Amino acid sequence: MSDRQRHADQIKRRARLAVQGGRTEKAGALLTELCQCEPRDAEAWFLLGAVHGEAGRLPEAVECAQRAVALRPDWPEAHYNLGQAYMHQQRYEDAANSYREALRWRPDYAEAGNHLGYALLQYDRPAEAADGLQRVLNQHPNFAEAHSNLGAALLDIGRIDEAIDRFQMALRIRPDCPGTRNHLARALILQGRPEAALEVCDETLRNDPANPEAPITKAGALDRLRRYREACGLLWPLRESRTPRASAAVNFARLAHHVDRVDEAADWLEGLLRSAALAPQDRGSLHFALGRLYDRRREFDRAFLHYRSGNECKQASQAPMEPDRWRRKVDAIIAAFGTDALAGRPRTAERSPVPVFIVGMPRSGTSLVEQILASHPAVFGAGERTEIGDLAERLPRSVRPERPYPECIAHLDTKRLREFARDHLARLRRLAPDAQRITDKMPGNFFLLGLIRLLFPGARIIHCVRDPRDTCLSCYFQQFVGAHAYAYDLEHLGIYYSQYRRLMAHWRRVLDPPMLELRYEALVERPEEWSRALVDFCGLPWDERCLRFYESKRVVATSSYDQVRHPIYRGSLGRWRHYERHLAPLLRALGPQGPEAAPADPRQEDPGVSPPTSGTPRGAEAEEAP
């Protein structure tokens, strides 16, 4: 070793000792001088970048880490440090790329894999994050933070029960795992257990009174329990926080109309939007919240500008969309479940009356329909269940791995179908052992009605239909959690809706027994008539509590939870007209058939839409009204 190298190593040792002693400025001065003297010393740049990062000098940290990577491109720790520097700058995509490079040079680098998952979550790649985090855990099963991040990814995808399992696993491994109790509380709220979420939040605040997230999550639980003033009382003081939190303002805005504080909420949101130090995800949330507030104040043009900005933030964080893939997906389903193909397919003899499937586009009234039924003492509302979708995803592995769904359906036999059906019924029974009917209101199960018919030939299926213009606009105004990439662009929404309508027309032709199709507009105009029809279709005696669904103490976990707390109202009918001047891309994509699919006057009913009069399942050709 040369004298020059020994001198450089000595300076680096002194810098490390200075850092350990809390003297970061001294360490920075030593390393800065060394980098000037030895500009090709990758380790010196690496250490100087770490010192700048520790001191909060993020641009300098990035620059030094970039120099280290350029000098030693095969050094995984240098790529990891660069990723950390990008992460602190909220440059999540750049951070993810750096973590990938670290993993390329060291595939078992657990910390890089975990942080890659976290970075992907920050720019809305939950499915990709979940896959990567699962790979980390396959190699490092006791990595608590990876369990926690995987739980967060599963929560974003909508797999709530699995997310809770991951959070609980993380806490068993490491009881103080950062952020995990807050994630767990959020998941419990979405699972419909706000009281349990409150207990988790209170425990967090007892152990860490200054925790910045626990009051926000606790306010969300109080909201679900209709304790609005308490929730606002927790959130409003956070406005003066040294580190403004968009989530606090967004949650306050969601509650504001209940306590007559809408103007205060709008001022808070607008003030935060003027801040330059916002992550794109937070900026999008603020725009969606302001859109809701201005819509409520009937300032429709102003509301639309914010909704459009919120959707642009969401779209920027998504992988590029290929709308034609929805047509190809529907083509494949129609081919696999044609009339002749269905006639020749094996199916179970399972005639259990328990499962009731409620399907349709998101924002078409599925939550309202489930709430009406779940108010009946014989019905348990299970919310949005993922089991059928999970089954379709794993079917190829169980049948023919080289044949994706739905092609693999051709290789299913009765024995396997019977096993799947019994397993699904057992899962439902565990939710509510004494219920006569259990509803699953996953809207996207409209893709899977053919599989549902093979599993449960006698299952009741309720298809919720709403004016496509109102449906699509409501989707565009909704900041969805999970995979709804079609919803962030008006043209894509129209294309997606057209393919949904094409598939539903196919199911009407081939499924037996047919579905009950329920028009949202008809339910709003004649709630008792159609509520009775729903209960009758499910083969149950009428119960007056179904008309007072808004009095139910049942907690709704979806984005419609607030609407179903109130009696049916007509304000959402024809809502698209307030925004018509902005909707040209949507209306073009829907095509000439689009707006006419549900008439402007919901009383103009097709004769086929009349409510059923007996408990025997029967259908109604409702969507293509004159």
Side-chain angles (χ1 to χ4, degrees):
M1 181 185 294
S2 67
D3 290 344
R4 188 170 177 176
Q5 186 61 56
R6 275 194 291 272
H7 177 67
D9 288 347
Q10 186 180 30
I11 290 176
K12 283 182 267 191
R13 277 195 299 272
R14 289 170 59 196
R16 290 190 183 97
L17 289 170
V19 169
Q20 291 169 12
R23 294 176 290 125
T24 54
E25 294 303 319
K26 174 65 173 175
L30 287 167
L31 292 166
T32 298
E33 184 178 351
L34 178 59
C35 288
Q36 289 170 348
C37 296
E38 302 290 345
R40 299 196 60 76
D41 189 326
E43 187 182 17
W45 288 110
F46 175 88
L47 293 170
L48 181 57
V51 167
H52 282 313
E54 183 74 21
R57 295 188 290 269
L58 299 180
E60 292 86 348
V62 168
E63 183 181 354
C64 291
Q66 288 171 334
R67 294 288 292 270
V69 163
L71 290 164
R72 279 187 56 184
D74 61 346
W75 190 7
E77 287 77 11
H79 288 289
Y80 175 79
N81 267 22
L82 178 56
Q84 294 293 83
Y86 283 138
M87 188 76 84
H88 287 299
Q89 284 189 318
Q90 299 180 339
R91 294 167 60 179
Y92 299 117
E93 192 164 4
D94 290 331
N97 289 333
S98 291
Y99 296 134
R100 287 191 187 98
E101 278 296 299
L103 288 163
R104 185 164 77 91
W105 294 104
R106 186 177 144 196
D108 65 341
Y109 198 163
E111 289 81 3
N114 178 52
H115 279 90
L116 172 59
Y118 181 81
L120 290 168
L121 278 174
Q122 299 312 301
Y123 71 105
D124 257 358
R125 299 281 199 279
E128 189 179 345
D131 289 344
L133 288 161
Q134 185 59 66
R135 286 193 295 273
V136 171
L137 287 165
N138 290 343
Q139 295 178 311
H140 307 275
N142 292 319
F143 194 167
E145 287 83 353
H147 280 289
S148 183
N149 284 330
L150 177 55
L154 293 169
L155 197 59
D156 278 0
I157 295 167
R159 292 159 62 178
I160 298 169
D161 295 348
E162 294 173 68
I164 289 173
D165 289 343
R166 291 294 177 171
F167 297 139
Q168 291 172 335
M169 174 67 77
L171 291 170
R172 281 196 294 272
I173 296 168
R174 183 180 169 186
D176 63 343
C177 188
T180 304
R181 291 188 185 280
N182 186 63
H183 285 319
L184 174 59
R186 282 180 52 228
L188 290 167
I189 293 170
L190 291 173
Q191 198 186 43
R193 297 168 60 195
E195 294 92 346
L198 283 180
E199 291 177 12
V200 173
C201 292
D202 287 340
E203 182 182 357
T204 302
L205 289 167
R206 280 194 298 272
N207 296 327
D208 180 13
N211 186 290
E213 291 295 334
I216 300 171
T217 306
K218 183 176 180 179
L222 291 169
D223 172 21
R224 298 301 174 102
L225 293 167
R226 311 186 192 199
R227 292 158 61 178
Y228 305 121
R229 293 197 181 279
E230 285 180 71
C232 287
L234 280 173
L235 295 169
W236 186 249
L238 300 178
R239 188 181 187 189
E240 306 304 322
S241 169
R242 189 172 299 175
T243 307
R245 294 190 174 268
S247 54
V250 168
N251 278 280
F252 185 85
R254 188 174 287 114
L255 297 162
H257 67 281
H258 291 294
V259 293
D260 197 25
R261 298 180 71 176
V262 171
D263 290 342
E264 292 169 275
D267 289 345
W268 189 358
L269 294 166
E270 294 278 17
L272 283 175
L273 269 181
R274 289 191 287 271
S275 168
L278 277 175
Q281 199 172 10
D282 288 340
R283 191 169 292 279
S285 296
L286 294 170
H287 280 300
F288 276 107
L290 277 164
R292 286 190 293 272
L293 288 182
Y294 289 131
D295 177 81
R296 186 173 289 277
R297 295 200 319 201
R298 304 185 68 78
E299 298 180 45
F300 300 119
D301 289 342
R302 197 174 182 183
F304 190 84
L305 290 175
H306 282 290
Y307 280 127
R308 183 167 60 197
S309 296
N311 277 288
E312 287 169 352
C313 290
K314 289 287 285 185
Q315 199 173 20
S317 69
Q318 300 284 328
M321 287 304 306
E322 185 191 356
D324 195 50
R325 73 185 179 96
W326 301 317
R327 180 187 60 77
R328 293 196 300 271
K329 182 175 182 177
V330 170
D331 285 345
I333 294 171
I334 290 174
F337 292 100
T339 305
D340 293 340
L342 265 178
R345 294 267 185 268
R347 60 184 68 198
T348 71
E350 181 55 65
R351 293 286 170 177
S352 170
V354 171
V356 177
F357 295 93
I358 303 169
V359 302
M361 277 287 289
R363 316 300 295 165
S364 63
T366 55
S367 290
L368 175 58
V369 166
E370 182 177 57
Q371 185 77 344
I372 290 170
L373 288 174
S375 299
H376 194 290
V379 180
F380 177 77
E384 296 185 352
R385 308 299 304 176
T386 63
E387 286 88 350
I388 297 294
D390 292 343
L391 172 59
E393 190 174 315
R394 69 175 187 269
L395 262 183
R397 296 194 296 274
S398 302
V399 185
R400 291 286 292 271
E402 76 278 11
R403 297 284 186 182
Y405 184 86
E407 293 174 38
C408 63
I409 288 293
H411 304 280
L412 265 177
D413 56 35
T414 304
K415 179 176 180 292
R416 197 73 61 90
L417 278 168
R418 188 165 56 244
E419 291 171 358
F420 292 144
R422 287 176 177 173
D423 179 63
H424 185 72
L425 283 174
R427 288 169 180 262
L428 290 182
R429 275 294 180 209
R430 286 195 289 271
L431 296 173
D434 299 324
Q436 295 178 42
R437 305 287 182 271
I438 299 176
T439 59
D440 175 348
K441 64 146 296 258
M442 179 62 77
N445 277 344
F446 71 80
F447 282 115
L448 302 171
L449 292 182
L451 176 60
I452 287 170
R453 270 289 180 253
L454 298 183
L455 292 167
F456 304 106
R460 291 168 169 85
I461 298 170
I462 299 167
H463 175 211
C464 297
V465 186
R466 183 183 180 190
D467 183 315
R469 298 161 295 190
D470 281 335
T471 302
C472 292
L473 186 72
S474 189
C475 288
Y476 190 69
F477 287 179
Q478 181 64 42
Q479 189 179 16
F480 286 109
V481 173
H484 293 273
Y486 62 86
Y488 309 127
D489 178 278
L490 288 172
E491 182 182 10
H492 291 174
L493 260 167
I495 295 169
Y496 184 88
Y497 189 97
S498 297
Q499 294 306 315
Y500 144 78
R501 184 166 53 199
R502 182 164 75 98
L503 182 56
M504 291 310 304
H506 171 74
W507 293 137
R508 278 190 219 100
R509 289 192 297 270
V510 303
L511 292 188
D512 180 49
M515 303 166 284
L516 170 65
E517 289 199 329
L518 175 60
R519 299 253 310 275
Y520 174 80
E521 292 83 0
L523 177 61
V524 169
E525 290 287 349
R526 303 194 299 280
E528 181 171 356
E529 180 182 349
W530 277 95
S531 296
R532 286 179 176 274
L534 282 168
V535 173
D536 186 54
F537 179 75
C538 291
L540 297 171
W542 174 247
D543 191 288
E544 288 293 330
R545 280 169 283 194
C546 294
L547 282 180
R548 302 192 305 275
F549 62 86
Y550 47 88
E551 295 177 358
S552 170
K553 300 303 181 185
R554 171 178 177 262
V555 176
V556 176
T558 66
S559 55
S560 301
Y561 71 91
D562 195 42
Q563 290 97 312
V564 299
R565 294 168 171 173
H566 307 285
I568 291 175
Y569 55 95
R570 302 186 73 256
S572 59
L573 300 184
R575 185 186 185 196
W576 69 275
R577 295 190 184 282
H578 299 309
Y579 296 94
E580 186 172 6
R581 58 182 294 196
H582 302 287
L583 301 183
L586 170 65
L587 299 178
R588 280 196 303 270
L590 285 172
Q593 295 286 321
E596 288 76 16
D601 180 355
R603 289 167 295 188
Q604 296 175 13
E605 297 292 348
D606 187 287
V609 191
S610 57
T613 55
S614 75
T616 303
R618 52 174 288 200
E621 282 70 37
E623 190 179 8
E624 302 299 333

